[in-house]
Amino acid sequence: MTASHQVKLKPGDTIGILGGGQLGRMLAMAAARLGLRCQIFSPDPDSPAFDVVLNATCAEYADVEALELFANDVDVITYEFENVPAATAMVLAARRPVLPAQKILETTQDRLIEKDFIRKLGIGIADYADVSSVEMLRAAIACIGLPAVIKTRRFGYDGKGQAIIREGDDIGQVWDDLATRSAILEAFIPFEREISVIAARSADGQVECFDVTENEHRDHILKISRAPADIPEALAAQARGIAETIASALDYVGVLAVEMFVVQGSGGPQVLVNEIAPRVHNSGHWTLDGASISQFEQHIRAIAGWPLGKPVRHGPVTMTNLIGDDINDYEQWLTVPGATVHLYGKGPARAGRKMGHVTQIFPRED
């Protein structure tokens, strides 16, 4: 039996969270409502999650002594971002259960390993190829065709570490600009819409999925999410089934997001998986106000060894990210009927920085 199956917290116990951003902040707030304490570990002294917990550790992820002291103060450890250094996870896992498990990070931190994992499950994905030199890139393009998307295998998010390659582009320059020797080339997918499934899985194998969410990106950053997605129920069921298959294959404990594309196939619309996020996810923020239980509470319940909730959506929901200077309009949102404003307590607004979000619940259409 693994450590994950032995975790059973009680009210008053402490959860350690790696990362001090808005996701860590909202996880800590969800835990507090359930009578659980949280301690944040983050190298950033301005971490907004520090504002909502009594105890926090501000230290580098490579600081072994700080990690050991942090582990001694908590009962279980989780994380708000998937790029936790492998050495950090190893140090902590030797002392306390880390959920989701370290081996899941090894799969999802590397795009090539993740794609191989998804393909072995028989789940549809875009064609892809491993690329570690400009010569390999040219060969991959000859096989996959253009347009295509090149991405670093690690550490990319919100459009960072990737580029679209089109006919006529200088392939050598594209490779140099990516500034890596470890990349993956993916076929460009002419999708109809982008969707995601937020799924929670407990240590005993129970899986609960939220309604499929439809996502709209601007400048590679999520701007608007709508639930439910405007897709046929059969396709939504397929998407939820894919998320459940992935969570079960990973022996996952906690909340994960599976991002997908809806494309037209010969037999009608179908879904292709884009990527897995082993954590609570921006496209699930609507659940804070739009469902009977939020993704954050589900994650806390799962890693605490508590029963998962059955998510019930309150009505059609829209989540709008407040990015950069959008935060300056927060007062206008406060007067919108049915809207709930969430501000993250971050410092100065910067272009591309997520400063908050707004959820709006609309009357049900009968």
Side-chain angles (χ1 to χ4, degrees):
M1 182 174 289
T2 64
S4 67
H5 292 78
Q6 299 169 3
V7 174
K8 186 69 173 179
L9 302 189
K10 60 185 184 301
D13 285 345
T14 301
I15 296 169
I17 300 174
L18 298 175
Q22 65 266 21
L23 299 181
R25 178 186 177 103
M26 289 183 274
L27 282 169
M29 293 167 73
R33 196 171 66 78
L34 297 175
L36 293 163
R37 297 184 173 93
C38 286
Q39 182 163 327
I40 303 292
F41 189 108
S42 172
D44 181 4
D46 296 322
S47 294
F50 286 172
D51 296 340
V52 300
V53 295
L54 184 62
N55 297 309
T57 301
C58 187
E60 297 298 325
Y61 291 118
D63 188 334
V64 174
E65 183 178 0
L67 290 170
E68 291 176 341
L69 291 171
F70 171 73
N72 289 340
D73 285 344
V74 304
D75 299 292
V76 66
I77 296 166
T78 191
Y79 42 87
E80 65 141 27
F81 71 115
E82 58 265 53
N83 291 324
V84 175
T88 299
M90 287 180 63
V91 169
L92 294 172
R95 290 157 178 81
R96 290 290 185 272
V98 175
L99 299 174
Q102 177 190 342
K103 63 181 177 62
I104 293 169
L105 289 175
E106 294 170 1
T107 299
T108 57
Q109 283 182 345
D110 186 307
R111 286 190 169 100
L112 180 63
I113 296 174
E114 179 178 291
K115 296 284 185 186
D116 288 345
F117 166 77
I118 296 167
R119 186 173 63 181
K120 287 176 183 175
L121 292 176
I123 294 170
I125 53 174
D127 291 338
Y128 65 95
D130 184 15
V131 175
S132 58
S133 67
V134 68
E135 291 79 19
M136 289 183 69
L137 176 56
R138 294 185 194 280
I141 290 172
C143 180
I144 290 175
L146 293 178
V149 183
I150 188 166
K151 302 177 181 179
T152 57
R153 282 177 55 173
R154 300 171 66 88
F155 306 122
Y157 65 97
D158 287 348
K160 298 176 176 67
Q162 62 180 269
I164 297 177
I165 306 176
R166 297 180 173 87
E167 292 287 353
D169 285 349
D170 184 333
I171 304 304
Q173 189 62 52
V174 169
W175 180 249
D176 289 342
D177 289 346
L178 199 64
T180 186
R181 288 293 178 266
S182 183
I184 183 172
L185 186 75
E186 300 177 12
F188 182 83
I189 301 299
F191 57 86
E192 291 188 348
R193 62 192 75 224
E194 295 177 87
I195 62 171
S196 58
V197 176
I198 307 295
R201 185 178 184 273
S202 61
D204 63 5
Q206 178 190 3
V207 178
E208 294 290 348
C209 293
F210 290 90
D211 285 287
V212 180
T213 305
E214 186 168 332
N215 303 310
E216 180 182 322
H217 290 76
R218 297 180 189 171
D219 298 323
H220 303 289
I221 301 173
L222 180 64
K223 181 59 181 175
I224 297 173
S225 289
R226 298 180 179 88
D230 185 15
I231 58 176
E233 173 53 32
L235 198 64
Q238 180 188 350
R240 293 192 298 268
I242 287 171
E244 182 170 348
T245 297
I246 289 172
S248 298
L250 289 169
D251 195 18
Y252 199 89
V253 178
V255 162
L256 84 165
V258 183
E259 299 179 53
M260 309 179 200
F261 298 126
V262 176
V263 299
Q264 272 300 330
S266 57
Q270 62 185 64
V271 294
L272 298 178
V273 170
N274 181 27
E275 61 184 31
I276 304 166
R279 54 174 171 80
V280 288
H281 192 259
N282 196 175
S283 68
H285 287 359
W286 66 267
T287 64
L288 273 167
D289 309 294
S292 56
I293 187 170
S294 74
Q295 64 167 341
F296 302 98
E297 182 175 333
Q298 285 283 56
H299 186 79
I300 295 298
R301 289 191 188 201
I303 66 172
W306 294 8
L308 299 179
K310 177 70 70 173
V312 178
R313 184 171 43 78
H314 298 320
V317 191
T318 296
M319 187 282 303
T320 303
N321 269 333
L322 302 180
I323 302 169
D325 289 339
D326 291 346
I327 192 68
N328 299 327
D329 297 328
Y330 73 92
E331 284 193 63
Q332 296 179 30
W333 283 105
L334 293 172
T335 64
V336 175
T340 304
V341 179
H342 297 262
L343 306 180
Y344 302 152
K346 292 185 176 180
R350 296 195 304 265
R353 190 181 198 192
K354 296 170 184 171
M355 304 297 295
H357 73 268
V358 179
T359 50
Q360 294 172 271
I361 304 173
F362 300 92
R364 289 185 181 274
E365 295 182 2
D366 296 321

